[in-house]
Amino acid sequence: MRLPGRREGCGTDRPYADIGAQGFTDLGCRGPLTIEDIIASPWVVYPFHLRDICLVTDAGGAVVLTTVDRARRLGPPLIEVLGSGVAHTHYQITQMPDLTVTPASISGAQAYAQARLGPADIDVAELYDSFTYTVLVTLEDLGFCGKGEDFVSAQRTAPGGDFPLNTSGAAFPYPSRHVRDVPADRSGPPAARRVRRTAGRSAGGGAGQRDGRVPVQRRYRHPRMGVIGVNPAGLPVPELSPSPEAAPFWEACRRHQLVLPYCTECRRFFFYPRTLCPYCGTREVIWRPSAGRGEIYTFCVQYQSRLPGFGDATPFVTAIIELEEGLRLMTFLIDVPPQPESIRCGMPVEVVFKD
């Protein structure tokens, strides 16, 4: 999947990270971080370089809410929440309807409607930034620009730009700072002087021609419980301890057969396995054989892995496969060179079993 404008967008909130001076020193970056630095950093998982990915974000934060009257009595500057929205579009990343559209397209519309504002009324944005891609697609989904539109290449989101974005540096230099460090004082720097009105803030958490084959692993357990072997594809095969809901799937794999949960009420396949149909809520769920054919929906080339046993197997390819039955599975891709130029979205694949 090609990310429009990704190269131009790599450094959207990095200058604020430099101002924060809390990130990247452990990654060998002690001065201003440029787009060239990001592109030159090592690959981790294609299409992301080391500095396309945020630092460790095992942390938490909280916003204390109360009534407007009580907030006035307490004394601190009053910050009113005028609108909010919540949306979910999928249970797993494999079932995300479109990897270029996030639930922010729904929750943002809800918040705008509640606040009676629109994208043009927003003065500063604090957006979730697990990867550089996340910021770009969220800017689009919140209506600040159209899909694929050139919005950040002129550094308009950098300090001094006309659209302050992630002014704390966000998760790239330090976790859980999106709301805490939003400037709100008229005496602050120029980029912050227009943001006293809380209503004006938004916070949100080449192609090869070969066909590929998809191996279905027959055994799986949490990697920390130990890898027990390597299959003929050269990939680790951990031990299997399936849940009762998933047991029929793995039992069929032992027979070299791919089966999928199917709702007899609404006549739809679904995945991952569960006792209730996620579409209509019925328990009329059975298992039906899959044709085992599909095409690559998207893929990553894994250049680094910290999971036991997988580091020695790098580089390898993981992919989301869209099956003929209309659902998606995540798997390894084999019999294709682990190079982005050798793989394309839409490439036909078939299931194979490696014992």
Side-chain angles (χ1 to χ4, degrees):
M1 186 177 111
R2 184 175 180 271
L3 306 181
R6 191 183 73 86
R7 295 303 187 197
E8 290 77 9
C10 288
T12 53
D13 51 357
R14 299 294 187 151
Y16 287 109
D18 295 331
I19 290 175
Q22 296 203 39
F24 306 117
T25 56
D26 59 334
L27 300 179
C29 181
R30 299 180 180 274
L33 187 63
T34 67
I35 294 176
E36 290 73 22
D37 292 331
I38 297 171
I39 297 173
S41 62
W43 287 109
V44 177
V45 178
Y46 175 85
F48 298 115
H49 292 269
L50 176 65
R51 289 169 181 155
D52 281 313
I53 305 170
C54 71
L55 301 181
V56 176
T57 52
D58 294 337
V63 176
V64 178
L65 300 177
T66 186
T67 63
V68 172
D69 290 342
R70 187 175 182 217
R72 288 196 177 108
R73 293 196 303 269
L74 291 174
L78 181 64
I79 299 175
E80 295 184 62
V81 178
L82 299 186
S84 64
V86 177
H88 303 274
T89 60
H90 51 283
Y91 293 93
Q92 290 184 322
I93 189 66
T94 57
Q95 309 307 316
M96 188 173 180
D98 189 330
L99 291 176
T100 67
V101 180
T102 73
S105 60
I106 303 172
S107 59
Q110 295 171 353
Y112 287 141
Q114 192 176 89
R116 297 182 180 181
L117 297 171
D121 300 307
I122 304 301
D123 298 310
V124 62
E126 302 293 316
L127 307 180
Y128 182 55
D129 62 336
S130 52
F131 303 91
T132 46
Y133 147 87
T134 315
V135 179
L136 298 176
V137 73
T138 307
L139 283 169
E140 296 172 343
D141 291 341
L142 290 176
F144 297 119
C145 59
K147 288 293 180 183
E149 181 182 337
D150 185 355
F151 185 74
V152 299
S153 63
Q155 297 294 292
R156 64 185 302 180
T157 61
D162 62 5
F163 190 85
L165 172 68
N166 289 358
T167 53
S168 68
F172 278 120
Y174 195 81
S176 302
R177 298 178 58 196
H178 285 283
V179 178
R180 187 186 73 192
D181 290 345
V182 175
D185 194 327
R186 291 183 186 276
S187 63
R193 290 176 186 163
R194 296 175 54 242
V195 302
R196 186 166 182 88
R197 180 167 55 97
T198 314
R201 299 185 197 164
S202 176
Q209 299 302 315
R210 294 183 57 190
D211 291 355
R213 297 198 297 163
V214 179
V216 175
Q217 300 297 334
R218 287 178 45 181
R219 299 180 290 277
Y220 182 81
R221 189 172 60 172
H222 193 281
R224 292 179 183 173
M225 301 177 75
V227 174
I228 63 169
V230 176
N231 70 9
L235 295 165
V237 183
E239 186 178 354
L240 172 65
S241 298
S243 65
E245 294 81 8
F249 176 86
W250 295 107
E251 290 168 359
C253 287
R254 292 190 180 97
R255 304 190 301 269
H256 288 196
Q257 183 181 30
L258 178 62
V259 298
L260 302 169
Y262 178 81
C263 176
T264 59
E265 187 71 24
C266 63
R267 299 181 180 180
R268 299 176 71 173
F269 288 96
F270 61 87
F271 203 83
Y272 57 94
R274 68 206 91 168
T275 57
L276 298 177
C277 172
Y279 301 110
C280 67
T282 183
R283 293 182 180 271
E284 302 300 320
V285 176
I286 63 174
W287 290 85
R288 294 184 60 174
S290 167
R293 295 185 298 269
E295 61 182 36
I296 298 175
Y297 180 71
T298 189
F299 68 93
C300 290
V301 180
Q302 309 280 344
Y303 292 96
Q304 301 181 35
S305 178
R306 300 177 67 180
L307 297 178
F310 284 86
D312 294 337
T314 57
F316 57 88
V317 182
T318 55
I320 296 178
I321 306 302
E322 187 149 19
L323 296 173
E324 289 182 353
E325 290 79 12
L327 52 80
R328 302 186 191 126
L329 298 177
M330 182 176 289
T331 186
F332 295 112
L333 192 66
I334 63 172
D335 294 348
V336 174
Q339 303 162 354
E341 60 271 18
S342 300
I343 309 166
R344 58 180 170 83
C345 295
M347 177 185 287
V349 295
E350 63 180 5
V351 172
V352 295
F353 295 85
K354 295 291 186 180
D355 294 319

